[in-house]
Amino acid sequence: MAQTGHYAVLDQLLSDGVTKIFGNPGTVEQGLLDALGDRPALHYVLTLQESIAVYAADAYARATGGLAVAQIHSSPGLGNAIGAMYQAMRGQSPILVLGGDAGIRYQAMDAQMAADLVAMARPVTKWSTMVTHPSSLLRILRRAIKVALTPPMGPVYVCLPQDILDEVVTETVRPTELPDTRVTPLPDAIARAADMLLAAERPTIYIGDGVARSKAQGQLARVAELLGADVWGVDGGDLNMSWRHPLWRGQTGHMFGSHSLPIVQSGDCNLIVGTYMLPEVFPELGDIYAPDAKTIHIDLDTNAIGKNHQVDLGLMADPAVALSALAKALSERITPARVATSAQRLAEGRVRSERENESAQANATLGNPNMPGGLHFGHFARELVRLAPEDSIVFDEALTNSPALTAFVRPDVPERYFQTRGGSLGTAIAGGLGLQAANPGKTVIAVSGDGGGMYVLQSLWSAARHNMPIKFVVCNNRSYRLLQANISQYWSERGITDRPFPLSFDLSKPTLDFAHIARGFGVQSARIETADQIAPAIERALAHPGPFVLDVLLESNVHPELIGVKCGQ
């Protein structure tokens, strides 16, 4: 049946199983949004700024493992969304970003909001394009969806000019066909990898989110146990291995190569799965592995294999099927002596893991929790874990307070724990919308810093509007604490001492009262300043049927008395 492009776009999304669109409307998208009212199977999650729409779509894609759709305005809207799209690109999230434009016929006029939208989006997408004729509208949409969902996955941008969508479309709506990428290496390559690993005394495994995307956590754990190998996460945002597993050693870190270097030099045979080495802000520029160490890399992203550092055996493969084949090969070759060694390392790992976790919990609960400004986040995290449902889903953007959170949460189950990735701020509060949309019957807990929370605080309004019962937690240390930590490292490397933190890192004046602000968005809230207030506030939040903000006042290094004293401060 003939219909305009507005309806054809929506029907194409429905044919591909889309039920949610995260968006922020604009004038040039009015026809599409008008048509949306005639497609009740599509639920439009209204956000108040384009970056929030993309962050929410990012979290939705991660939670569902499938396509997410974000709708944004033309040039100003795309500009607002660029940082969030960068986040999605770094995390390989399959998001179809639909952008508006007044029309092809106006492009010669340098009209209001005119810009090269395709060029603007290209650096932060896998594919950026504009539909220029109604005869290829659905063809381009299906191509974009295929590109987004084919590993390495990532965001795509499709500009939909309004005059194109106003035309009648005769193309047939049909589901997008996706290639099967669950490929495995040849048996000889798997055998070689197994022999290299069994010949090593200290095999070590480095993993990224390619493991979670492939749902390869079980196969990964089996390989690690056979080898007795330490497993390190490399800038992962999803749960790629249980943090309670005895062989899990933690994250290599996302900031300084000097911190990760001793870790990556610890093994004599390195198995890398689902990441590249190493996504850091200040990476090591020289060789990073131990002399004579061998490296095996398994990934569906061929660009990641050997991207920066030596690889002796690169295998373009789906992590789940490749690790399954590798585990079989290891089982067939492993000697009784190696089985005993691996079992001993597993037992040692259990003792070490418990000891390290006890230490982490103790460090997270220092200070005087009975005095305002003396609370450490571990005091809150301990009660949160005790009171929240066991199957709660956590988005952790606590940053410097993340160690305190995970010391008690101890992430264990895939798709129940997510971290920020890509360096953008504001992902947890906005991402909570996406996690709740993907898990309507679950308790979603979005944990954010105060600085990051201010980037996207309008998300609270969206949670209230759509009655999403997200429990938002703000780690309110009244500062950009991560910047304080990073400049401390900067000073240390340069031998600089006795310097006060820049006042631009200080958020203490005027006071950011998140509990008060939340109520302005129609969200219930509580402010926590001392230990005795923690449990009652959490219980109140969990009992409330709608969204709720817990503003947790923490210890800090701030100086409100200095703000406004110096010119420019």
Side-chain angles (χ1 to χ4, degrees):
M1 184 179 72
Q3 58 183 348
T4 66
H6 303 290
Y7 288 100
V9 167
L10 300 178
D11 288 344
Q12 180 62 53
L13 296 179
L14 288 168
S15 75
D16 280 310
V18 174
T19 59
K20 305 283 192 305
I21 299 175
F22 302 89
N24 179 256
T27 300
V28 297
E29 300 87 44
Q30 55 198 357
L32 182 69
L33 298 173
D34 179 46
L36 191 59
D38 296 324
R39 296 294 185 266
L42 283 170
H43 178 215
Y44 188 85
V45 179
L46 176 60
T47 67
L48 299 182
Q49 209 256 18
E50 288 85 355
S51 65
I52 297 172
V54 177
Y55 283 141
D58 184 2
Y60 184 85
R62 295 171 68 181
T64 63
L67 182 72
V69 179
Q71 172 270 316
I72 64 174
H73 194 31
S74 57
S75 49
L78 178 56
N80 288 339
I82 289 292
M85 292 166 68
Y86 174 82
Q87 175 93 0
M89 181 188 70
R90 294 293 300 190
Q92 297 187 10
S93 286
I95 305 174
L96 173 63
V97 180
L98 299 177
D101 181 75
I104 295 291
R105 59 183 167 180
Y106 303 118
Q107 288 186 351
M109 304 297 293
D110 190 26
Q112 182 75 281
M113 295 190 293
D116 190 343
L117 302 174
V118 173
M120 286 175 64
R122 186 172 291 123
V124 292
T125 55
K126 276 189 73 179
W127 188 45
S128 177
T129 190
M130 174 185 287
V131 179
T132 58
H133 197 275
S135 63
S136 289
L137 171 61
L138 301 187
R139 179 180 294 112
I140 287 177
L141 275 181
R142 285 191 290 267
R143 185 186 303 171
I145 292 168
K146 184 197 74 169
V147 169
L149 288 169
T150 302
M153 295 188 286
V156 294
Y157 173 79
V158 180
C159 181
L160 301 173
Q162 185 164 261
D163 57 358
I164 297 294
L165 297 187
D166 284 339
E167 296 292 327
V168 171
V169 171
T170 58
E171 284 182 284
T172 301
V173 173
R174 55 178 173 79
T176 301
E177 297 173 1
L178 301 175
D180 186 348
T181 59
R182 296 187 74 80
V183 293
T184 188
L186 293 172
D188 287 350
I190 290 291
R192 183 182 168 197
D195 290 340
M196 290 169 65
L197 289 163
L198 289 173
E201 291 185 8
R202 293 298 306 182
T204 307
I205 303 175
Y206 301 95
I207 59 173
D209 287 341
V211 172
R213 283 190 291 271
S214 179
K215 300 187 184 303
Q217 292 93 339
Q219 295 90 328
L220 169 72
R222 175 62 176 154
V223 168
E225 290 162 6
L226 285 166
L227 295 170
D230 289 343
V231 181
W232 292 90
V234 179
D235 195 35
D238 297 334
L239 190 69
N240 299 303
M241 185 180 193
S242 169
W243 289 29
R244 304 183 188 191
H245 195 285
L247 295 174
W248 170 254
R249 298 304 308 274
Q251 303 274 12
T252 60
H254 75 283
M255 189 63 64
F256 299 105
S258 59
H259 288 181
S260 63
L261 188 61
I263 297 171
V264 296
Q265 289 184 335
S266 63
D268 55 353
C269 187
N270 307 300
L271 174 60
I272 303 163
V273 186
T275 185
Y276 75 89
M277 303 290 279
L278 280 159
E280 298 165 329
V281 177
F282 302 104
E284 185 71 22
L285 296 177
D287 294 336
I288 62 171
Y289 303 125
D292 302 321
K294 301 297 182 183
T295 301
I296 304 160
H297 194 148
I298 298 171
D299 213 310
L300 275 172
D301 182 0
T302 55
N303 183 54
I305 299 173
K307 183 174 186 174
N308 293 319
H309 299 287
Q310 143 202 355
V311 167
D312 298 285
L313 178 60
L315 304 175
M316 195 282 284
D318 177 84
V321 296
L323 290 171
S324 180
L326 181 58
K328 182 175 183 295
L330 290 170
S331 298
E332 292 169 349
R333 289 165 169 77
I334 197 165
T335 64
R338 188 54 181 265
V339 169
T341 298
S342 297
Q344 180 182 353
R345 289 177 179 170
L346 199 63
E348 292 170 351
R350 289 191 183 95
V351 175
R352 181 189 60 237
S353 177
E354 289 305 314
R355 183 177 65 248
E356 290 177 350
N357 188 246
E358 288 175 5
S359 176
Q361 290 186 353
N363 289 334
T365 51
L366 296 173
N368 182 358
N370 300 314
M371 180 181 70
L375 199 65
H376 282 239
F377 193 63
H379 297 109
F380 176 89
R382 180 172 56 199
E383 292 300 293
L384 179 68
V385 170
R386 182 177 69 86
L387 295 169
E390 187 177 354
D391 62 352
S392 297
I393 300 169
V394 176
F395 198 129
D396 173 9
E397 196 194 359
L399 300 182
T400 54
N401 284 297
S402 182
L405 177 64
T406 55
F408 292 95
V409 171
R410 303 192 72 187
D412 186 48
V413 180
E415 299 171 9
R416 288 191 193 167
Y417 176 76
F418 300 89
Q419 286 184 300
T420 185
R421 56 192 185 185
S424 300
L425 290 179
T427 54
I429 289 181
L433 302 173
L435 293 187
Q436 192 73 79
N439 300 277
K442 300 289 187 181
T443 297
V444 171
I445 302 169
V447 186
S448 173
D450 46 0
M454 287 302 298
Y455 279 59
V456 294
L457 212 54
Q458 312 97 306
S459 305
L460 301 180
W461 181 91
S462 296
R465 179 185 178 96
H466 297 285
N467 196 29
M468 294 183 174
I470 307 161
K471 311 311 171 188
F472 299 98
V473 179
V474 179
C475 305
N476 192 346
N477 53 33
R478 293 155 289 161
S479 63
Y480 289 124
R481 176 64 67 83
L482 184 60
L483 297 185
Q484 292 179 340
N486 290 344
I487 201 170
S488 296
Q489 173 73 14
Y490 176 86
W491 287 334
S492 175
E493 291 173 352
R494 290 156 179 79
I496 300 171
T497 59
D498 299 323
R499 293 280 296 172
F501 291 127
L503 287 179
S504 56
F505 299 176
D506 191 320
L507 304 179
S508 63
K509 183 180 179 181
T511 300
L512 288 172
D513 187 338
F514 289 90
H516 184 77
I517 296 169
R519 289 190 286 273
F521 286 115
V523 176
Q524 294 295 304
S525 63
R527 185 173 173 89
I528 297 169
E529 298 186 353
T530 55
D532 61 306
Q533 298 172 342
I534 295 174
I538 294 175
E539 290 170 345
R540 182 181 160 207
L542 293 172
H544 182 64
F548 200 101
V549 168
L550 292 166
D551 182 6
V552 187
L553 185 69
L554 300 173
E555 48 76 34
S556 60
N557 185 342
V558 295
H559 294 279
E561 74 279 2
L562 299 180
I563 297 173
V565 174
K566 296 181 180 180
C567 181
Q569 298 292 331

